[in-house]
């Protein structure tokens, strides 16, 4: 699961590197940001082929609950 700042630069490179190494990474869309909302949205759209994009709530729902 990847979060960070700049969605269209550092986050993008991290996700691509993971995919190149055989992983199917997850981008936490509301855990990333860049200089403009348009750049953020464009980057998220570009990720579609090599990672899964989830919100924080969606990702947390996939994790096992501890008792």
């Amino acid at each position: 699961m990847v979060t960070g700042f700049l969605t269209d630069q550092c986050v993008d490179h991290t996700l691509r590197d993971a995919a190149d190494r055989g992983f199917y990474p997850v981008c936490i869309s509301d855990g990333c940001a860049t200089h403009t909302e348009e750049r953020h949205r464009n980057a998220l759209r570009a990720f579609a082929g090599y990672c899964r994009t989830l919100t924080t709530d969606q990702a947390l729902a996939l994790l096992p609950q501890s008792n």
Side-chain angles (χ1 to χ4, degrees), residues 12 20 44-45 55 59:
D12 182 18
D20 287 346
L44 293 175
R45 271 194 298 275
T55 65

Side-chain angles (χ1 to χ4, degrees), residues 6-18 47 50:
L6 300 163
T7 312
D8 56 343
Q9 292 178 31
C10 301
V11 173
D12 182 18
H13 290 221
T14 300
L15 292 166
R16 287 178 192 260
D17 283 347
F47 298 163
Y50 55 91

Side-chain angles (χ1 to χ4, degrees), residues 3-9 11 28-36 40:
T3 65
F5 188 74
L6 300 163
T7 312
D8 56 343
Q9 292 178 31
V11 173
I28 306 299
S29 60
D30 57 348
C32 300
T34 193
H35 297 292
T36 68
H40 178 73

Side-chain angles (χ1 to χ4, degrees), residues 29-66:
S29 60
D30 57 348
C32 300
T34 193
H35 297 292
T36 68
E37 184 62 27
E38 180 182 18
R39 283 174 58 176
H40 178 73
R41 284 191 314 271
N42 288 339
L44 293 175
R45 271 194 298 275
F47 298 163
Y50 55 91
C51 83
R52 187 172 179 186
T53 302
L54 301 173
T55 65
T56 300
D57 287 340
Q58 290 169 327
L60 290 175
L62 295 176
L63 299 175
Q65 301 297 314
S66 63

